């Protein structure tokens, strides 16, 4: 499905003005809007504001430009687009009305007017505005689904379902269409049909959706069942999903509420809510695939359209906040998170993210106090420890981080697989404090709880090599991390730098070149490659590589080190002795000028606080460790389209509950069962 989502040429043209907005690095507003006294001055100021991603200023300057030339259609188009991207649809309406017949902006204008008709419950009007020829599959999916809901708003349920049924091609439409059919049946109180549609999706759609989109489907299914008084069935659906590793924020909260006997309302209560759901699903799928900042701008449009239909939709607000975080706009992200109500299933998640964004703004004291308050509300919530610990780590306050993680371990009691990240983070904190005897057991515990986690393998493996111990085992761990994350430049760099530390310079260069190809803008990785070139006698290439580092905005320490290397080269290596696997010492060549070990490890990403969304790449059978010939070999099964771990366990093992045994044999899936795809090979119990 993700591969099928393509941005239409028409929307690309509409958004062409916004490409420069992606270059913004901070959530800083353009300086105070200054008076402009000419058309060209106002227009140029608006374009600069767009480049700085300051939509408020851009809107103001375009309005100012229109005072000099009120009939200028180009200005009206740009202002309309800026207003939509800003979320000011009410203010955009007059411009949309004026541009309905404009060839370049007609589609955008008609969609704005259709959404306004939905808001006013003028469903026939909405259907009229949606009478446009789609220019891409994505256009057609969104437009036709909204047409279906406009018919449903006019009490033409059969007509709406007929429109949805027409969305049969391309194949990636299927989960979107089937989800919409399920919620239409549920909205129309066709309970039997709804339950059949939801059960079919629940059993087979997980492989076709991102984890977050599937979690939204589960939320819809569970609230549908609960609204009928079927709380036991709702709990069964939620338990299966959470046990399979999809403990995404709302689901555990919904589970707790239902377990306490609360009867939940179905999440779709109006035709506008149904229309907003397709915009949320498309945006969530686009977001799950990452993508460049240009894609984030599409997300802004789709999400603001959805929010106009559903102003209090927490999932839409969450996605808008995440887009703001990707565009490095923490203040804007905080604004969205603060709109999440205290009773929402997303409430605690939003509180964690507010704290992390405060830290991104370097308002560290506020961030710490905020997250301490969140932790005090529920000292058993492991996510709160992770969020606060991340802030301490960002401040290099590893002493406070270690003490916090000690508290977390006490709160855990008997560790469970989902607690791996606490031990991993505690290991990092103690390693940074140079207390390796305390750090090492935590990394090992993290691997016991979550075998084959790439970041833990990488960190522990490199640390051993950096300290001249467990060399063979350390290289084994790093190689395994690379097998699991072959496209992660930081982990590939660790393998290259491990070879470098051991004096294996040719192998080092091979991996360091690959790391730089994966992460070309990272100054540390480029510096490593320069060192590798120097040691292999490629000194001109080394100097070129170091010079390139200076163009990549290195920190002051790295800049000083690189400038010295450009001037003097590397000193002659000194022989050192590494303990080999047998415990004896062997002379090898190693640089004594290496920077601290932590610079070789992948930096912690600015992720959400909850650890359940970690998605390591699945391992392929070729990369699995070789077992002793005498050991029993598990059966290998090739996944078919539409299958889940539950359905495979039911089919092959006779009981869906035995999916846990499959997870035990395929630990790379333990935190991300959604990683299986058609063609993936699973190890099954004999």
């Amino acid at each position: 499905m993700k591969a099928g989502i393509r941005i239409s040429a028409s929307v690309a043209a509409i958004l062409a003005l916004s490409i420069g907005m992606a270059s913004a690095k901070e959530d800083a507003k353009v300086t105070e809007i200054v008076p402009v006294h000419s058309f060209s001055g106002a227009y140029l100021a608006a374009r600069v504001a767009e480049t700085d991603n300051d939509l408020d200023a851009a809107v103001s300057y375009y309005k100012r430009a229109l005072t000099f030339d009120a009939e200028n259609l180009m200005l009206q188009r740009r202002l309309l687009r800026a207003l939509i991207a800003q979320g000011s649809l009410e203010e955009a309406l007059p411009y949309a009305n004026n541009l309905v017949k404009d060839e370049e902006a007609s589609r955008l204008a008609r969609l704005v007017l259709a959404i306004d008709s939905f808001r006013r419950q003028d469903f026939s009007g909405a259907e009229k505005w949606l009478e446009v020829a789609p220019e891409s599959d994505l256009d057609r999916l969104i437009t036709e689904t909204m047409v279906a809901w406009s018919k449903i708003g006019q009490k033409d349920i059969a007509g709406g379902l007929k429109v949805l049924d027409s969305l049969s091609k391309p194949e990636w439409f299927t989960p979107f269409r089937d989800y919409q059919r399920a919620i239409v049946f549920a909205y129309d109180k066709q309970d039997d049909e709804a339950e059949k549609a939801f059960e079919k999706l629940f059993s087979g759609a997980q492989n076709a959706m991102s984890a977050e989109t599937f979690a939204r489907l589960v939320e819809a299914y569970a609230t549908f069942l609960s609204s009928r008084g079927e709380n036991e069935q709702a709990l069964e659906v939620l338990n299966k999903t959470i046990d399979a590793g999809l403990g995404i924020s709302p689901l555990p909260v919904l589970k707790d509420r239902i377990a306490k006997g609360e009867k939940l309302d179905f999440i779709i209560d109006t035709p506008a809510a149904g229309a907003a759901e397709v915009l949320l699903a498309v945006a969530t799928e686009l977001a799950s695939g990452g993508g460049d900042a240009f894609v984030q701008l599409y997300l802004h449009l789709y999400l603001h359209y959805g929010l106009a239909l559903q102003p209090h939709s927490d999932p839409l607000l969450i996605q808008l906040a995440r887009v703001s975080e990707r565009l490095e706009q923490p203040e804007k992200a905080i604004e969205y998170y603060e709109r999440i109500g205290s009773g929402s299933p997303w409430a605690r998640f939003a509180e964690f993210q507010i704290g992390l964004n405060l830290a991104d703004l370097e308002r560290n004291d506020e961030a710490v106090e905020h997250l301490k308050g969140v932790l005090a509300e529920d000292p058993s919530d492991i996510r709160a420890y992770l969020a606060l610990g991340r802030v301490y780590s960002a401040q290099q306050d590893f002493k406070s981080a270690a003490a916090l993680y000690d508290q977390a371990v006490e709160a855990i009691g008997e560790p469970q697989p989902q607690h791996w990240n606490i031990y991993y983070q505690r290991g990092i904190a103690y390693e940074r404090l140079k207390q390796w005897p305390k750090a090492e057991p935590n990394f090992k515990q993290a691997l016991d709880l979550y075998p084959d986690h790439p970041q833990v393998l990488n960190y522990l493996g490199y640390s051993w090599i950096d300290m001249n111990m467990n060399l063979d085992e350390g290289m084994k761990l790093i190689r395994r991390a690379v097998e699991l994350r072959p496209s992660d430049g930081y982990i590939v760099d660790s393998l290259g730098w491990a070879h470098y530390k051991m004096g294996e310079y040719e192998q080092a260069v091979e991996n360091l070149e690959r790391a730089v190809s994966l992460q070309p803008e990272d100054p540390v990785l480029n510096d490593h490659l320069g060192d590798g070139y120097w040691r292999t006698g490629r000194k001109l290439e080394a100097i070129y590589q170091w010079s390139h580092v200076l163009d990549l905005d290195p920190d002051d320490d790295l800049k000083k080190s690189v400038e010295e290397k450009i001037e003097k080269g590397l000193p002659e290596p000194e022989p050192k002795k590494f303990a080999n696997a047998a415990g004896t010492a062997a002379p090898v060549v190693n640089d004594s000028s290496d920077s601290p070990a932590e610079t070789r490890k992948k930096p912690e990403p600015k992720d959400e606080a909850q650890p359940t969304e970690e998605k390591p790449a699945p391992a392929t059978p070729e990369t699995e460790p070789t077992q002793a010939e005498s050991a029993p070999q598990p059966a290998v099964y090739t996944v078919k389209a539409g299958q889940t771990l539950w359905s495979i366990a039911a089919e092959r093992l006779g009981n869906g509950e035995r999916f846990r045994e499959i997870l035990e044999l395929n630990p790379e899936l333990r935190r991300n069962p959604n990683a299986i795809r058609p063609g993936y090979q699973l190890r099954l119990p004999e």
Side-chain angles (χ1 to χ4, degrees), residues 25-80:
K25 295 296 183 184
E26 298 178 1
D27 189 31
K29 297 205 178 282
V30 165
T31 52
E32 181 181 354
I33 298 174
V34 296
V36 287
H37 305 289
S38 68
F39 171 85
S40 59
Y43 176 72
L44 290 173
R47 296 304 302 273
V48 169
E50 285 177 346
T51 301
D52 289 337
N53 207 14
D54 186 350
L55 289 172
D56 292 340
V59 166
S60 295
Y61 283 126
Y62 277 131
K63 287 179 179 177
R64 177 63 173 155
L66 279 170
T67 65
F68 295 100
D69 188 358
E71 302 303 315
N72 189 308
L73 290 178
M74 179 271 291
L75 282 179
Q76 290 183 39
R77 291 182 208 118
R78 289 188 175 277
L79 178 56
L80 174 63

Side-chain angles (χ1 to χ4, degrees), residues 344-391:
S344 166
W346 286 101
R348 280 188 69 78
F349 175 84
E351 293 297 332
F352 298 141
Q353 294 305 113
I354 288 171
L356 294 174
N357 280 283
L358 286 169
D360 276 357
L361 290 166
E362 298 186 1
R363 293 158 57 181
N364 292 316
D365 290 343
E366 288 180 68
V368 168
E369 288 307 308
H370 177 87
L371 290 170
K372 280 183 175 179
V374 177
L375 177 58
E377 290 173 3
D378 184 0
S380 67
D381 191 338
I382 298 304
R383 297 172 302 168
Y385 293 99
L386 290 168
L388 180 54
R390 194 181 296 275
V391 174

Side-chain angles (χ1 to χ4, degrees), residues 109-129:
R110 294 179 74 90
L111 186 54
V112 171
L113 294 169
I115 287 171
D116 181 58
S117 295
F118 265 105
R119 295 193 304 178
R120 292 184 288 103
Q121 300 186 48
D122 177 9
F123 301 115
S124 62
E127 186 175 0
K128 179 192 75 171
W129 290 122

Side-chain angles (χ1 to χ4, degrees), residues 224-244:
F224 162 71
L225 291 169
S226 179
S227 69
R228 298 173 59 193
E230 298 177 1
N231 275 4
E232 288 301 318
Q233 294 91 322
L235 282 174
E236 185 179 347
V237 167
L238 290 168
N239 283 330
K240 286 179 183 177
T241 308
I242 294 168
D243 287 348

Side-chain angles (χ1 to χ4, degrees), residues 329 331 457:
Q329 300 174 330
E331 286 183 348
L457 292 167

Side-chain angles (χ1 to χ4, degrees), residues 117-404:
S117 295
F118 265 105
R119 295 193 304 178
R120 292 184 288 103
Q121 300 186 48
D122 177 9
F123 301 115
S124 62
E127 186 175 0
K128 179 192 75 171
W129 290 122
L130 290 166
E131 291 173 357
V132 291
E135 295 187 9
S136 74
D137 288 337
L138 185 57
D139 286 340
R140 186 161 69 91
L141 173 67
I142 292 172
T143 303
E144 292 298 290
T145 303
M146 293 181 71
V147 168
W149 281 102
S150 69
K151 288 183 177 295
I152 290 164
Q154 298 171 71
K155 312 300 182 185
D156 183 6
I157 306 297
L161 288 169
K162 184 177 180 181
V163 172
L164 291 176
D165 288 341
S166 72
L167 295 172
S168 58
K169 298 289 183 182
E171 188 176 345
W172 64 267
F173 277 6
T174 302
F176 286 107
R177 179 201 64 209
D178 290 352
Y179 176 49
Q180 287 292 321
R181 283 175 52 81
I183 61 178
V184 169
F185 287 134
Y187 170 76
D188 193 45
K189 308 298 184 186
Q190 298 184 47
D191 290 352
D192 291 343
E193 292 299 322
E195 186 156 10
K196 280 190 242 175
F198 274 125
E199 185 56 37
K200 180 182 175 183
L201 276 164
F202 183 69
S203 300
Q206 186 174 352
N207 292 320
M209 293 177 167
S210 69
E212 203 163 343
T213 307
F214 186 75
R216 178 65 173 173
L217 182 158
V218 171
E219 181 180 359
Y221 190 12
T223 57
F224 162 71
L225 291 169
S226 179
S227 69
R228 298 173 59 193
E230 298 177 1
N231 275 4
E232 288 301 318
Q233 294 91 322
L235 282 174
E236 185 179 347
V237 167
L238 290 168
N239 283 330
K240 286 179 183 177
T241 308
I242 294 168
D243 287 348
L246 292 182
I248 292 173
S249 282
L251 302 186
V253 177
L254 294 175
K255 176 185 171 181
D256 289 344
R257 290 181 178 178
I258 292 174
K260 291 174 182 175
E262 186 175 343
K263 183 178 180 180
L264 303 182
D265 294 328
F266 181 52
I267 60 173
I268 305 299
D269 57 355
T270 65
E277 199 70 12
V278 72
L279 292 162
L280 172 63
V282 167
T284 303
E285 286 299 312
L286 286 172
S288 74
D292 57 25
F294 188 63
V295 172
Q296 309 305 325
L297 295 170
Y298 288 94
L299 299 182
H300 259 131
L301 286 183
Y302 296 145
L303 292 168
H304 278 305
Y305 287 145
L307 201 62
L309 292 167
Q310 282 284 87
H312 304 295
S313 169
D314 293 337
L316 286 164
L317 290 169
I318 290 291
Q319 288 295 343
L320 279 164
R322 286 172 168 170
V323 172
S324 299
E325 288 171 338
R326 291 185 192 102
L327 294 176
E328 300 185 38
Q329 300 174 330
E331 286 183 348
K332 181 65 71 176
I334 289 171
E335 289 177 17
Y336 288 124
Y337 286 128
E338 286 180 338
R339 290 170 64 179
I340 305 293
S342 60
S344 166
W346 286 101
R348 280 188 69 78
F349 175 84
E351 293 297 332
F352 298 141
Q353 294 305 113
I354 288 171
L356 294 174
N357 280 283
L358 286 169
D360 276 357
L361 290 166
E362 298 186 1
R363 293 158 57 181
N364 292 316
D365 290 343
E366 288 180 68
V368 168
E369 288 307 308
H370 177 87
L371 290 170
K372 280 183 175 179
V374 177
L375 177 58
E377 290 173 3
D378 184 0
S380 67
D381 191 338
I382 298 304
R383 297 172 302 168
Y385 293 99
L386 290 168
L388 180 54
R390 194 181 296 275
V391 174
Y392 283 139
S393 296
Q395 299 175 65
Q396 305 292 304
D397 184 1
F398 296 109
K399 183 177 180 181
S400 295
L404 176 72

Side-chain angles (χ1 to χ4, degrees), residues 512-520:
L512 294 172
E513 285 179 334
R514 185 173 153 218
V516 167
S517 73
L518 293 167
Q519 210 73 34

